[in-house]
Amino acid sequence: MTSQEITHAGTHNRARLCVISSLPVDLVGSETLVRLAAAAPKGSIDPVDHALYRAVKLVFEGDACGAYNGSAQSLLEVESFDPASSQRKYSLAIVRGVKFGGRSRNVAVMRGDLQSVLEASKSSGSDRALALKNAGAHIKLGRRCMGVAIADITDVSQVSSKEVLTTGEFRFQGVVVLGIGDQKCIKSPTRGGYTRIEMWPAALRVQHWLNVALIVAMSVTGYYIMNPFFGPPASEDTGYLMGLIRYIHFISGFAWIALALWRLSLTMFATTRQMQWRSLWPIYGVDDVKNLFGTVKYYLFLSKHGPHYIGHNALQQLTYTSIYVLCIIQILSGLALYGLYDQYNILWVVFSYPVHWIGIPNMRVLHAMIMFFIWVFVIFHVYFAFRADALENHGGISAMINGGVWVPTGTKPIDAPEIE
Ligand code: HEM
């Protein structure tokens, strides 16, 4: 048994350092990220290199066994290598023939301590925040996070790894997480030219369906409060029917407020891009505006292809964010009406204060109007969800149940690294 293998006392299970996860943020996909991280010289005795090597072998050759020898076909060809030192906590290597973005490139690879790699390379604010948040979650579990950055090199023969720092800018590519366990394959499932991407985390899916149930409950009961469409006519004894309907409306309303607070907490603590604060507002630069116009042109049939996103495109995101705003107004107007029942409590006095501005009838009309807007949104939302699933064949509908969408292998979406 070698030093990197740890045996659990009393069992025969052998647990050793292995790659737990590959978290790309920029250009390269998760498999290429591990391959770049494995850019080590032949004969390395570092257990981290062994772990990376096994992960690469499992992805590309379907085999994680065997000792490290640095010469398997699936490993990148390391031209020169400069190890990390106590002053510089990352190594530098020059590798040939890395395939991404539809072509083969020669690149300098910087890999090592996450913080040091982040400091020595360029990355967007959101990529950096995402990498640190994800790494933080793994570090809490006692795992080790390696940062990887790359820089393009035009002529490999002219450059040694010692000069690499001056040849161009390094771009941060992501984090490879190592920990004790069994090496599992980090490769995403592929089928018929499509790769499955884990898109919607379980929390978001649960919230989506709770929203559906609560919006239906509040719409039926709310509409009934406005216009009692079943039960005995008002001229007869209706018993406690309206009281029951209002009770269901209020219980659902407060459950909806709890759901909104849960969603709010996720925007702050989530480690997935599509659940964070930033994702609610899609326009940060000129490129985002250009892509927004590209999407509008595509939707108006003025161009054949629109910009490709795996999450929401800017137009979709703006619509969803507007709906969130509308839902917040709906909650506030509901609370304003509810607060009228108890004007001895300072909290309800505050919540119902806007009623002084527009009056009770207008507040009720506002609350009812927003319900109709929500209905219109739901109709379009369901139509577009089925339309997109039928046209793109990406399993978007089932993704809200099982979390995964199917994306054509080899595409480079605007909002995610390459799909491998
Ligand atoms: C999707 C969300 C919601 C929908 C579709 C909805 C719909 C409605 C509708 C149509 C009415 C009748 C308006 C009228 O003519 O008086 C109503 C009344 C009301 N809603 Fe909502 N509502 C929603 C959320 C909420 C929330 C979050 C609260 C807060 C607890 C709330 C509290 C109330 C109150 C207090 C009334 C007045 C009941 C009454 O006058 O007896 N609603 N709602």
Side-chain angles (χ1 to χ4, degrees):
M1 182 170 297
T2 57
S3 59
Q4 72 271 14
E5 294 165 353
I6 298 169
T7 307
H8 288 308
T11 74
H12 295 293
N13 289 336
R14 203 177 55 169
R16 53 186 172 177
L17 192 64
C18 68
V19 173
I20 305 273
S21 190
S22 168
L23 308 164
V25 293
D26 186 35
L27 296 171
V28 305
S30 57
E31 291 150 32
T32 304
L33 185 68
V34 178
R35 238 176 148 204
L36 288 165
K42 283 180 185 168
S44 166
I45 53 160
D46 189 333
V48 170
D49 291 337
H50 284 243
L52 289 161
Y53 168 71
R54 278 198 310 278
V56 172
K57 232 175 156 234
L58 193 58
V59 168
F60 291 92
E61 297 166 29
D63 166 29
C65 303
Y68 178 82
N69 59 22
S71 61
Q73 292 240 310
S74 47
L75 289 175
L76 292 166
E77 198 184 314
V78 179
E79 192 76 18
S80 64
F81 185 79
D82 197 7
S85 65
S86 50
Q87 287 84 40
R88 199 195 62 202
K89 293 186 187 161
Y90 50 80
S91 64
L92 292 167
I94 291 177
V95 296
R96 283 176 184 274
V98 193
K99 286 198 184 73
F100 63 92
R103 63 192 174 98
S104 179
R105 309 189 197 199
N106 301 324
V107 295
V109 182
M110 175 191 286
R111 50 158 221 169
D113 173 62
L114 175 60
Q115 203 63 48
S116 312
V117 172
L118 274 169
E119 274 162 28
S121 62
K122 276 225 153 188
S123 56
S124 72
S126 62
D127 285 355
R128 190 188 172 83
L130 187 67
L132 285 171
K133 213 165 207 179
N134 270 305
H138 282 286
I139 289 166
K140 271 193 202 138
L141 298 172
R143 293 169 181 162
R144 185 176 163 178
C145 291
M146 175 189 263
V148 180
I150 55 170
D152 267 321
I153 284 180
T154 36
D155 187 354
V156 178
S157 59
Q158 302 275 304
V159 191
S160 88
S161 57
K162 294 221 164 62
E163 295 165 65
V164 159
L165 277 175
T166 59
T167 57
E169 220 158 53
F170 277 91
R171 271 183 77 166
F172 182 72
Q173 294 302 315
V175 182
V176 174
V177 184
L178 295 122
I180 300 296
D182 281 330
Q183 183 58 64
K184 292 193 182 67
C185 189
I186 56 143
K187 189 173 169 55
S188 310
T190 51
R191 199 170 60 199
Y194 284 79
T195 301
R196 189 189 144 104
I197 302 295
E198 289 309 321
M199 196 55 205
W200 309 118
L204 202 83
R205 284 177 270 147
V206 170
Q207 289 191 356
H208 179 267
W209 296 113
L210 283 177
N211 260 316
V212 172
L214 290 174
I215 287 175
V216 169
M218 286 183 294
S219 295
V220 173
T221 53
Y223 191 86
Y224 189 89
I225 296 167
M226 191 175 73
N227 172 26
F229 56 95
F230 63 84
S235 54
E236 289 172 27
D237 182 7
T238 56
Y240 193 61
L241 184 59
M242 179 58 93
L244 183 70
I245 296 283
R246 288 173 71 224
Y247 185 65
I248 298 173
H249 190 79
F250 302 153
I251 296 283
S252 315
F254 284 106
W256 207 44
I257 293 172
L259 195 62
L261 293 175
W262 181 19
R263 180 69 183 89
L264 186 75
S265 74
L266 287 182
T267 58
M268 291 184 254
F269 305 116
T271 49
T272 33
R273 215 188 278 255
Q274 57 272 24
M275 283 171 82
Q276 295 181 326
W277 256 127
R278 249 189 95 87
S279 69
L280 293 178
W281 179 252
I283 296 166
Y284 290 94
V286 182
D287 284 348
D288 296 328
V289 177
K290 275 190 198 153
N291 288 327
L292 175 63
F293 280 112
T295 307
V296 173
K297 273 170 84 180
Y298 174 59
Y299 284 171
L300 293 175
F301 303 103
L302 296 174
S303 61
K304 264 196 166 172
H305 301 284
H308 184 72
Y309 290 80
I310 58 166
H312 299 144
N313 64 47
L315 197 61
Q316 269 174 316
Q317 191 54 59
L318 286 176
T319 315
Y320 288 131
T321 305
S322 317
I323 290 298
Y324 277 158
V325 172
L326 218 54
C327 290
I328 291 169
I329 301 175
Q330 184 70 336
I331 286 177
L332 292 177
S333 59
L335 287 174
L337 291 171
Y338 192 82
L340 294 173
Y341 303 138
D342 185 0
Q343 288 294 296
Y344 294 101
N345 182 321
I346 182 72
L347 184 76
W348 294 122
V349 171
V350 172
F351 272 122
S352 59
Y353 199 78
V355 174
H356 294 298
W357 305 334
I358 59 171
I360 295 175
N362 285 339
M363 188 59 85
R364 292 179 64 189
V365 169
L366 175 73
H367 197 66
M369 288 304 288
I370 296 178
M371 174 180 73
F372 293 123
F373 273 120
I374 292 176
W375 288 3
V376 171
F377 164 75
V378 169
I379 292 167
F380 277 100
H381 177 65
V382 172
Y383 166 71
F384 280 117
F386 276 96
R387 182 182 180 273
D389 201 341
L391 290 181
E392 292 168 34
N393 200 16
H394 63 352
I397 300 287
S398 51
M400 254 312 148
I401 296 166
N402 61 37
V405 283
W406 291 87
V407 183
T409 308
T411 40
K412 169 70 187 84
I414 284 159
D415 56 340
E418 186 165 299
I419 309 299
E420 300 189 311

